[in-house]
Amino acid sequence: MENLMFVYCSCKVIWTLLITILGYSSSLPVGDDSICAAEELAKYSIIFTGKWSQTAFPKQYPLYRPPAQWSSMLGVTHSSDYSMWKKNEYASNGVRDFAEKGEAWVLMKEIEEAGEKIQSVHGIFSAPAISSGTGQTSTELEVHSRHPLVSFVVRIVPSPDWFVGIDSLNLCGGDHWMEEVSVDLYPYDAGTDSGFTFSSPNFATIPQDTVTEITCSSPSHPANSFYYPKLKILPPIAQVTMVKLKKNQLGLPVSHLNLPAKSNEIIESISETPLDCEVSQWSSWGLCRGQCGKTGTKIRTRFVLLQPANDGTPCPDLDEETGCEPDNCI
């Protein structure tokens, strides 16, 4: 009888332990980040490089009120059970406010709530704005073995609701942290404003659309500021580089980046996008002018909608003349 009681108690203890372990496991983040076996913490320098130049993107390039520029960067390190934004999904209210107006308060609140409720956010990071289309900004971030994913957004200014960013980039390579990662960035539409051009007035998209990538052919509309139908793909409008910081003898991270050198590389790597001339439709023919009894002439005109750039197709003649019989002859 005593042996049976011992077996029963032993099984009960083992069962309790299993329930405890399974309960703990179920509270852990799931997904690719759950198998990160690298050291617990790592620090990175993140460098955002704007490549939005008039040479690379000549169509409707904003020169003033306001000129082309970038908002501050707002990002997080997190686990797979959190998402700041995703392509083909609806943007949150926080992402909408940031993409449309550069306001970060609601997005910060959403991030904080995710950290408090499901402990999916490890850290928040930000970098200063860039006052021109080309240039660099940088900051540092910390990833954890349970929170190895990086997401961020940077607003394109001016624009209706356009931004660039990264969604859930994993910096963990199984048993190690990546030493350096570079990603080319392309424009996204948050799906909350219906403007086609950089300077479009605010016009809410109702019902809201999903986040979509803007390409050289989509949206397929000549008014679209990124519409370059002769290109196969847009040149990258920005780039982000994350470099793992090495530790000194005291165990503190040390940055080895030279930002001025990077700035020189920006100028050298800018691509030239040819922009063809665009003209309006012909006007109606004007009055026929000339002497009675003789062939006269009449003229129609058109005007330039878009000046050519970077060896694009030049503008055709803007006036056309043809023969006619003079009007109102006596």
Side-chain angles (χ1 to χ4, degrees), residues 202-216:
N202 184 38
F203 187 69
T205 301
I206 302 174
Q208 180 177 335
D209 203 352
T210 57
V211 175
T212 55
E213 184 175 354
I214 300 172
T215 70
C216 55

Side-chain angles (χ1 to χ4, degrees), residues 87-88 185-189 210-215 218-219 233:
K87 182 179 177 181
N88 298 328
L185 303 177
Y186 299 89
Y188 281 89
D189 186 323
T210 57
V211 175
T212 55
E213 184 175 354
I214 300 172
T215 70
S218 178
I233 186 173

Side-chain angles (χ1 to χ4, degrees), residues 180-259:
E180 181 171 341
V181 179
S182 290
V183 180
D184 288 333
L185 303 177
Y186 299 89
Y188 281 89
D189 186 323
T192 61
D193 193 292
S194 298
F196 271 123
T197 66
F198 296 120
S199 57
S200 292
N202 184 38
F203 187 69
T205 301
I206 302 174
Q208 180 177 335
D209 203 352
T210 57
V211 175
T212 55
E213 184 175 354
I214 300 172
T215 70
C216 55
S217 58
S218 178
S220 182
H221 195 291
N224 177 17
S225 292
F226 286 111
Y227 186 69
Y228 296 92
K230 290 189 175 181
L231 296 182
K232 291 184 178 179
I233 186 173
L234 283 176
I237 196 171
Q239 184 183 62
V240 66
T241 301
M242 283 164 276
V243 180
K244 187 174 181 290
L245 299 180
K246 301 184 183 301
K247 295 179 180 179
N248 60 19
Q249 293 180 347
L250 299 176
L252 300 174
V254 177
S255 177
H256 61 275
L257 296 175
N258 186 337
L259 290 183

Side-chain angles (χ1 to χ4, degrees), residues 115 117 129 150 158 251 272 274 285 305 322:
K117 292 181 180 178
V150 176
E272 292 190 358
W285 288 103
L305 295 172
T322 189

Side-chain angles (χ1 to χ4, degrees), residues 300-313:
R300 64 177 181 176
T301 61
R302 56 187 173 185
F303 57 91
V304 175
L305 295 172
L306 191 65
Q307 292 288 351
N310 304 328
D311 296 323
T313 303

